[in-house]
Amino acid sequence: MTFEKRLEARAAEFEAGLGDALDAAASRHAGLPPRLADAMRHAVMSGGKRIRPFLVTETAIALGSDAAAAQPAAIALELVHCYSLVHDDLPAMDNDPLRRGKPTVWKAFDEWTAILAGDALLTLAFEHLGGAACPDLDDKRRLSLVTGLALASGGRGMVGGQCLDLEADKLGQPKVATQEHVQRLQAMKTGALFRFACEAGAVVAGAGTTETTAMARFGAKLGAAFQLADDLLDIEGDAETVGKATAKDAAAGKATLVGLKGLAAARAFLAEIESDALNEISGIGSRADVLRETLRFACARRK
Ligand code: GRG
């Protein structure tokens, strides 16, 4: 099976799991307001590459586990990612009308509904991870996943990175961004969830410290590559293919590695990150080939 077909097939599995999680939430809480349920569904069931849950599952498989055991963490992580997109698109943040080629939640509904839908998706992620039926996931590993997802998503992870990004955008701080600052911001905003994805796969598989650390470092580097490819797409891509507005970073005065280094040097840096990421998992052998292909996909992506 080609990599693209594998990604598509897994995306269909995740979509079924995400649909079930939303259905279960609606039926468990008999009073889940229909408007909130509709907005959550709009946010989640709207396409998307599903690359983060893919990494959870494929890392778990590479280390000897299986897709069923990885499913609760994979679904929880995608719910967090979907919430982050809903909030990121709000007028107070990135003010985006288009996401995954469709109207964003605040455009399709309104701002207050989008804020609440994001909040409800974030909390549903932890409800799901804590409670999803999975005989292969013992309490110790479940607790480690809950803590890891909270750390990756919160103020020292994605939310903190978003704060640094918006500070630059809205307050003009720091006045002159360094490469170090931009890399730290991106490691938090985008890298933390990718790092968690691979670490979570290792936790699900019950891997030892060496392999878990190697996977986490690989995930962080893949996240850095994914973000840099995203910055390149913002300059080189067109909105129709990418599925969201492009050429936004420069217009917003955002500091990106492409802006700091220039296009050619940024492309060379992307190749360097790719090679560093491959080194992190050189000890894992051919079992990790799907992860290597995922890295290639992230670096070469067109949307
Ligand atoms: C609002 C707390 C909070 C955080 C937002 C993820 C994020 C942080 C912002 C998204 C803005 C952005 C363009 C980030 C760069 C890369 C990225 C995360 C792109 C979107 O992820 P994909 O490409 O999206 O995996 P799909 O639609 O495929 O799921």
Side-chain angles (χ1 to χ4, degrees):
M1 199 193 294
T2 64
F3 174 78
E4 279 73 17
K5 286 273 170 251
R6 191 172 177 112
L7 187 59
E8 264 173 40
R10 289 258 179 254
E13 289 167 22
F14 299 136
E15 250 137 63
L18 288 161
D20 289 349
L22 291 170
D23 288 347
S27 64
R28 257 200 310 272
H29 308 292
L32 190 66
R35 182 176 181 81
L36 188 61
D38 289 348
M40 289 163 77
R41 217 168 269 284
H42 181 96
V44 173
M45 309 304 281
S46 53
K49 295 178 285 298
R50 316 296 190 193
I51 191 164
R52 294 162 192 77
F54 183 82
L55 280 167
V56 178
T57 299
E58 295 300 341
T59 304
I61 291 173
L63 297 178
S65 184
D66 58 35
Q71 186 81 344
I75 296 300
L77 177 55
E78 185 65 11
L79 288 170
V80 170
H81 168 61
C82 291
Y83 123 75
S84 81
L85 298 181
V86 174
H87 281 191
D88 184 62
D89 290 333
L90 284 166
M93 298 209 194
D94 252 16
N95 193 22
D96 264 312
L98 198 63
R99 169 71 64 184
R100 295 169 168 169
K102 301 191 181 80
T104 47
V105 178
W106 74 271
K107 269 283 176 190
F109 294 80
D110 48 45
E111 283 183 56
W112 63 265
T113 308
I115 293 170
L116 295 177
D119 292 342
L121 288 170
L122 172 62
T123 41
L124 179 60
F126 288 96
E127 183 184 330
H128 184 79
L129 188 51
C134 182
D136 297 329
L137 210 53
D138 56 50
D139 286 352
K140 189 166 169 249
R141 276 183 281 173
R142 218 184 266 266
L143 187 59
S144 155
L145 292 168
V146 167
T147 312
L149 182 57
L151 273 173
S153 316
R156 277 169 286 165
M158 181 179 66
V159 170
Q162 179 78 346
C163 179
L164 294 177
D165 201 18
L166 289 183
E167 256 177 18
D169 183 357
K170 314 268 182 205
L171 307 177
Q173 289 172 358
K175 291 268 174 287
V176 182
T178 59
Q179 180 172 329
E180 192 186 28
H181 178 78
V182 173
Q183 278 181 277
R184 172 168 171 249
L185 177 171
Q186 295 186 341
M188 292 167 77
K189 181 177 121 170
T190 312
L193 289 197
F194 279 88
R195 182 186 178 94
F196 172 76
C198 295
E199 189 179 43
V203 169
V204 165
T209 313
T210 309
E211 279 186 331
T212 305
T213 306
M215 284 302 189
R217 291 172 65 97
F218 170 79
K221 288 191 172 144
L222 195 153
F226 187 88
Q227 175 66 59
L228 183 45
D230 199 76
D231 295 344
L232 286 162
L233 274 180
D234 186 67
I235 292 181
E236 297 176 328
D238 66 276
E240 203 178 321
T241 318
V242 179
K244 61 177 183 178
T246 53
K248 288 203 64 188
D249 293 344
K254 272 195 185 177
T256 65
L257 292 180
V258 185
L260 286 173
K261 286 170 153 303
L263 261 181
R267 283 234 159 266
F269 191 51
L270 180 58
E272 205 181 297
I273 300 173
E274 184 176 5
S275 140
D276 284 353
L278 287 174
N279 280 339
E280 296 291 353
I281 54 168
S282 58
I284 299 182
S286 63
R287 290 176 299 151
D289 279 351
V290 176
L291 298 179
R292 295 184 179 94
E293 285 183 79
T294 315
L295 174 67
R296 183 87 288 273
F297 169 84
C299 294
R301 74 204 183 90
R302 289 279 156 259
K303 63 176 186 169

